[in-house]
Amino acid sequence: MQNRSVATQPFDDQKPGTSGLRKKTKVFQQPNYLENFVQAIFDSLEDITGQTLVLGGDGRYFNRSAIQTIIKMAAANGFGKVIIGQGGLLSTPAASHIIRKNQAYGGLVLSASHNPGGPDEDFGIKYNVSNGGPAPEKYTDAFYQRSQTISEYRIADLPDVDLDTLGEQGDDNFSMEIIDPVSDYAELMQELFDFPLIRDAIASGAITLRFDAMHAITGPYAKRIFEDMLAAAPGSVINATPLEDFGGGHPDPNLAHAKELADTMFGPDAPTFGAASDGDGDRNMILGRNFFVTPSDSLAVLAANARLIPAFKDGLPGVARSMPTSQAVDRVAQEYGIPCYETPTGWKYFGNLLDAKKIALCGEESFGTGADHVREKDGLWAVLFWLNLLAVKGESVSRIVHDHWRKFGRDIYSRHDYEAVAIDIANGIFDHLREQLPTLPGQTLAGNRVKYADEFSYQDPIDGSVSRYQGIRIGFENGSRIVFRLSGTGTVGATLRIYLERYETDTGKHDQDAQQALASLIELAEQLCEVKKRTGMSAPTVIT
Ligand code: G1P
Ligand code: ZN
């Protein structure tokens, strides 16, 4: 095996965002672009010689060719072994599990998550560390720094690897193992949940299931787990074949993008349970018959019922949510006397808390829920948790959530996204918001008295690191909140996210439509940030 050094020049835009480096595919396809970033990662890691790297992606366009390049670079940079998902496929949670199970040094996951894929769409790459979780900021900062000064990358003259045939090849210095992407993960799920009970509930017809894999990575996982292992009727998993462009769709599990599923679940003869996952398998959407569970509520319901699941039969040490996620889970934690941590947006902030066993369950409003079994959010895991819960309780999804609201109150919640806002306008909006912060506390706005108004900063309780500028929070005495944040995953202009939340204890009002219930807060948010006025947009691009 011959290694080569190839001269290159830095690109100035290789700064990882909320979840790795995400760009248009064409940007990644520029000569040396992928190679530079991968070399910047390898250069920033210590003692990689002889170590194992896990490699896989969500199957989107450019996945296979990027994998071939990375294998050759891993060899030239001294890794001893690369473990690759067959076909170049690994869901994000499965990659996390495989890193942990094999005590690998780390892993590279090729994905732009829920962003569309294809030659004119998005591609991405993220590095996960040895605990299986996304690289913390000190790593991603180092990758970016290194990418600014890089002058060469190293690559081995190896033939392309056959990604489709299982087995190990190579020699003592460098080997490549192609593994089944599903089996280890499916085995782990079987340890965490009561599969026989779920299987019985499905067999008896008590649970009927529809899962939308959105032509993305979870197709093969869902087929194996739901149809083969849990005996759901063939065809319960729809859009099950991963496609390079996700069938032209936007593989984001929400009511707008998982439309086929939503139509079924809100139509006649709906199954009792519906769910979907995203491009790389870490997100989830949960639906009952005629009923949508907000991700924030889902987290709270899972926390409240954790003891019913084998994995959590001894209870939870604590829980965590990202800052913009609704406060529903806080109420559960308070009731059970366990801590609830509020972290910045992005899964990487949960890693230390999970490693230190301060928490065992965590989630984000953005359709992300997960636990201590891996270090990523996990779409199918959340679906199995709900199935297990339905099988134990024998009640409908809607009934379980309504009972939860009756006990804890409902945090009526919505997120409004304004996409592709010009960067200078977005910065102007934040400057304008920042100017108002000192004057807001104590004022009564739209009938709500402001308790605090600040820019969120987080100090990690384990390693003491501080993350600043994590979004603007305006909290009211009555429990309502408005949060403003700029997305760290968008690839065009800026995306302004406005998170709105109102606490309702009156059971008679629990069935209100969220947009109506939040109308006065929505108007107030516009008065404060002026996004419509400044951009000329008449409505949010996406409402979830
Ligand atoms: C978005 C979500 C965030 C999630 C991330 C990766 O990031 O808001 O919760 O962790 O995608 O899935 P954002 O674009 O808001 O930075
Ligand atoms: Zn994802």
Side-chain angles (χ1 to χ4, degrees):
M1 185 176 82
Q2 200 67 32
N3 294 337
R4 279 185 294 136
S5 287
V6 180
T8 188
Q9 285 186 342
F11 292 89
D12 62 8
D13 64 348
Q14 297 196 321
K15 190 174 175 55
T18 311
S19 188
L21 184 68
R22 257 181 228 181
K23 299 282 172 196
K24 287 288 162 204
T25 311
K26 291 220 157 74
V27 172
F28 266 102
Q29 287 179 305
Q30 296 172 84
N32 298 351
Y33 193 90
L34 171 75
E35 290 84 347
N36 274 21
F37 189 63
V38 171
Q39 188 63 52
I41 293 174
F42 290 166
D43 284 348
S44 311
L45 302 175
E46 281 165 16
D47 302 327
I48 56 179
T49 306
Q51 298 282 358
T52 299
L53 182 74
V54 171
L55 182 59
D58 63 12
R60 69 181 61 222
Y61 179 80
F62 194 51
N63 190 53
R64 279 180 175 258
S65 100
I67 283 186
Q68 297 290 359
T69 303
I70 295 170
I71 293 172
K72 292 168 196 169
M73 291 184 66
N77 279 275
F79 277 98
K81 180 172 180 180
V82 182
I83 299 177
I84 308 143
Q86 188 178 27
L89 300 178
L90 278 180
S91 76
T92 288
S96 182
H97 176 52
I98 288 162
I99 293 170
R100 294 164 68 79
K101 185 175 171 179
N102 293 282
Q103 295 174 327
Y105 187 92
L108 285 169
V109 182
L110 308 180
S111 171
S113 186
H114 50 285
N115 295 12
D120 296 317
E121 299 294 351
D122 293 351
F123 191 77
I125 175 165
K126 52 187 179 173
Y127 179 71
N128 283 26
V129 294
S130 60
N131 73 353
E137 250 166 35
K138 66 170 193 269
Y139 284 81
T140 51
D141 289 347
F143 303 161
Y144 177 56
Q145 291 304 325
R146 181 63 191 143
S147 77
Q148 297 304 286
T149 57
I150 195 160
S151 60
E152 59 174 34
Y153 64 84
R154 286 185 292 288
I155 189 157
D157 281 321
L158 283 174
D160 273 2
V161 180
D162 171 6
L163 296 175
D164 299 301
T165 307
L166 296 177
E168 192 161 353
Q169 49 188 301
D171 54 33
D172 285 351
N173 288 325
F174 183 70
S175 70
M176 294 153 278
E177 186 181 3
I178 310 286
I179 60 162
D180 174 357
V182 178
S183 3
D184 290 328
Y185 177 82
E187 210 171 276
L188 174 66
M189 293 301 115
Q190 228 171 341
E191 288 164 19
L192 301 173
F193 300 108
D194 191 340
F195 270 43
L197 185 78
I198 303 174
R199 205 184 150 99
D200 285 351
I202 291 175
S204 72
I207 297 177
T208 49
L209 161 74
R210 182 68 51 91
F211 178 83
D212 189 349
M214 306 189 83
H215 287 304
I217 190 69
T218 51
Y221 292 83
K223 277 246 167 216
R224 179 96 56 92
I225 294 172
F226 299 139
E227 295 187 11
D228 299 348
M229 299 168 79
L230 295 171
S236 299
V237 179
I238 58 171
N239 300 319
T241 309
L243 298 176
E244 287 201 329
D245 66 348
F246 308 117
H250 193 140
D252 199 2
N254 57 43
L255 291 173
H257 296 307
K259 192 165 180 324
E260 184 180 348
L261 176 73
D263 288 348
T264 306
M265 296 306 297
F266 287 91
D269 306 321
T272 61
F273 181 74
S277 189
D278 71 328
D280 63 330
D282 56 359
R283 294 188 172 197
N284 74 89
M285 174 170 69
I286 303 295
L287 300 168
R289 189 174 269 164
N290 278 307
F291 194 80
F292 165 72
V293 187
T294 69
S296 296
D297 279 343
S298 176
L299 176 65
V301 169
L302 299 187
N305 293 288
R307 278 178 187 272
L308 301 177
I309 304 303
F312 299 131
K313 62 180 188 324
D314 299 326
L316 300 167
V319 291
R321 63 162 168 85
S322 67
M323 182 273 281
T325 303
S326 97
Q327 299 159 92
V329 72
D330 304 37
R331 305 183 199 288
V332 176
Q334 197 177 12
E335 166 84 15
Y336 291 178
I338 56 172
C340 177
Y341 297 84
E342 183 179 40
T343 57
T345 295
W347 209 260
K348 59 189 172 213
Y349 297 101
F350 295 132
N352 279 347
L353 295 168
L354 289 163
D355 284 349
K357 301 191 188 307
K358 299 268 185 213
I359 62 167
L361 179 72
C362 45
E364 298 193 87
E365 52 65 44
S366 51
F367 298 82
T369 331
D372 53 358
H373 64 291
V374 290
R375 292 295 179 272
E376 289 278 4
K377 57 188 176 246
D378 190 342
L380 288 173
W381 170 90
V383 175
L384 285 163
F385 198 144
W386 268 96
L387 285 171
N388 202 151
L389 201 57
L390 295 175
V392 172
K393 289 196 164 235
E395 290 165 356
S396 71
V397 173
S398 155
R399 174 72 193 275
I400 290 174
V401 176
H402 278 92
D403 283 352
H404 184 93
W405 290 341
R406 189 166 308 119
K407 180 163 179 197
F408 295 98
R410 177 180 174 194
D411 289 85
I412 303 174
Y413 188 84
S414 183
R415 182 176 108 183
H416 289 198
D417 292 340
Y418 291 82
E419 292 177 356
V421 174
I423 306 267
D424 54 336
I425 296 186
N427 289 336
I429 288 174
F430 273 79
D431 290 343
H432 177 63
L433 282 167
R434 278 188 198 105
E435 275 163 23
Q436 300 171 72
L437 291 180
T439 64
L440 293 178
Q443 281 193 47
T444 298
L445 307 171
N448 309 280
R449 198 174 148 84
V450 179
K451 190 169 168 192
Y452 62 89
D454 62 12
E455 192 152 14
F456 183 57
S457 259
Y458 176 69
Q459 178 161 36
D460 185 294
I462 313 300
D463 66 18
S465 59
V466 177
S467 305
R468 296 178 213 281
Y469 315 114
Q470 298 295 329
I472 287 179
R473 307 187 294 185
I474 300 171
F476 302 94
E477 308 253 329
N478 56 13
S480 294
R481 262 194 340 165
I482 304 176
V483 171
F484 301 91
R485 249 191 91 243
L486 287 179
S487 158
T489 59
T491 52
V492 183
T495 295
L496 171 67
R497 304 202 195 284
I498 305 178
Y499 309 80
L500 304 135
E501 163 175 15
R502 187 161 83 68
Y503 183 51
E504 180 61 71
T505 49
D506 181 349
T507 345
K509 294 186 179 160
H510 281 171
D511 276 318
Q512 284 179 94
D513 170 72
Q515 302 309 316
Q516 275 167 18
L518 295 167
S520 66
L521 285 176
I522 293 170
E523 209 181 297
L524 174 58
E526 171 60 22
Q527 278 169 29
L528 292 165
C529 80
E530 300 180 343
V531 60
K532 289 184 183 155
K533 186 172 151 200
R534 287 169 184 247
T535 60
M537 294 167 84
S538 60
T541 324
V542 183
I543 296 182
T544 46

